[in-house]
Amino acid sequence: MKAVTWQGKRDVRVDDVPDPKIQEPTDAVIRITSTGLCGSDLHLYEVLTPFMTPGDILGHEPIGVVEEVGPEVRNLSPGDRVVVPFQISCGHCFMCSAGLQTQCETTQVTSEGMGAALFGYTRLYGAVPGAQAEYLRVPQAHYGPIKVPEGPSDDRFVYLSDVLPTAWQAVAYADVPRGGTVAVLGLGPIGDMACRIALARGAERVFGVDLVPERLARARRRGVETYDLRGFDNEKELVATIHDETEGRGPDAVIDAVGTEAHGSVVARLAQQASAMLPRALSGPLAERFSVDRLAALHTAIELVRRGGTLSLVGVYGGTADPMPMLTLFDKQIQMRMGQANVRHWSDEILPYLTDEDPLGVDDFATHRLPLSEAPHAYDMFQHKQDGAIKILMSP
């Protein structure tokens, strides 16, 4: 089959690889009809290269059709249309029962000290072959895949794999009071959808911050009060401006949808780039012990949120030696929640929104649809924010 493989920093290719097969009785094999390109994939493309191996199959946002199931998968049949969550969870362990599927004790990558295995996401998360491919082997298929109805296009449901539950959890963790205020830093796919969900769930005002004109315009059309970073000399001006809109206090919650590749943080950016250029035998151990994130967005969030407010971190962070302003966090009594989305915990709450009325705007959420064969171009375009690329779907 054809699949998108990682070959090095900023080097992805569409290669012929062996077709997946049933390996365990709880496996299924899915024929993929659409698969997304995620901002998290760009971290592999650029920053997390020390944890990658040439030939790794990328991707974790698929929808498709069941082709084959193992003998212990009794809830699926060939021909079923399913969305596959980005993490692999069993549904019956302590963590899954607690709604923490990304901590699944059955699939935890204990050898790396990490949580549940993820599709297409480095050896830290199991090096499981990913979903930017024609076919996908799905472990724990008795629980993970979400059956969706025939009829609507893939766009209606594909975001259940990642974008929707990730943005939904970000808003839930932000704990925005009904009629309250929330600022979202970063208006890529997750930040954009988080704004939509916050408004749908009763936030009175949503402030969106970015520096890409197409992202700002798109959020503004959905009722978000947008702020262009390029219009401020520094972070303090931005903070003061939004504080003025919230009686001088700041918003009730701030969602950081940027993560480790924030603009600014020059020293951290250079450290990330240097690590990625080292031989893999050195870069992996170095990154595991001494890696740092670009924390500009997080520091802005800490300054921006009101005292006693909540920070929800949904942008991916991977540093192990990050300096944090603990005095400010402590003094302001800031609450913080974070982590990979627990897809199956939220999917039943989200499904009622995926109707013909389309209140979250999923039907036209993608800005680009490309064949899988153009994946290298898709990555380059998304990385450089060209041609208004905000969300890209690929079809095998």
Side-chain angles (χ1 to χ4, degrees), residues 63-64 80-83 146-150 157 160 351:
I63 184 173
D80 286 343
R81 188 186 194 193
V82 295
V83 177
I146 304 164
K147 284 200 283 189
V148 296
E150 298 292 339
F157 302 112
L160 278 170
L351 275 166

Side-chain angles (χ1 to χ4, degrees), residues 14 25 38 48 79 125 135 145 147 217 219 270 281 309 356 380 382 391 394:
V14 181
C38 177
L48 298 180
Y125 290 100
Y135 294 91
K147 284 200 283 189
L270 292 173
D356 287 343
D380 184 67
F382 193 30
K391 186 60 184 178
M394 297 182 286

Side-chain angles (χ1 to χ4, degrees), residues 6 13 20 22 45 59 80 121 125 147 150 173 212 242 253 261 296-297 328 335 347 385 392:
W6 184 91
R13 306 173 193 175
I22 299 291
Y45 192 63
D80 286 343
Y121 214 77
Y125 290 100
K147 284 200 283 189
E150 298 292 339
Y173 279 9
V212 180
I242 297 180
E261 292 190 80
T328 303
Q335 304 175 77
S347 57
K385 301 177 178 64
I392 300 173

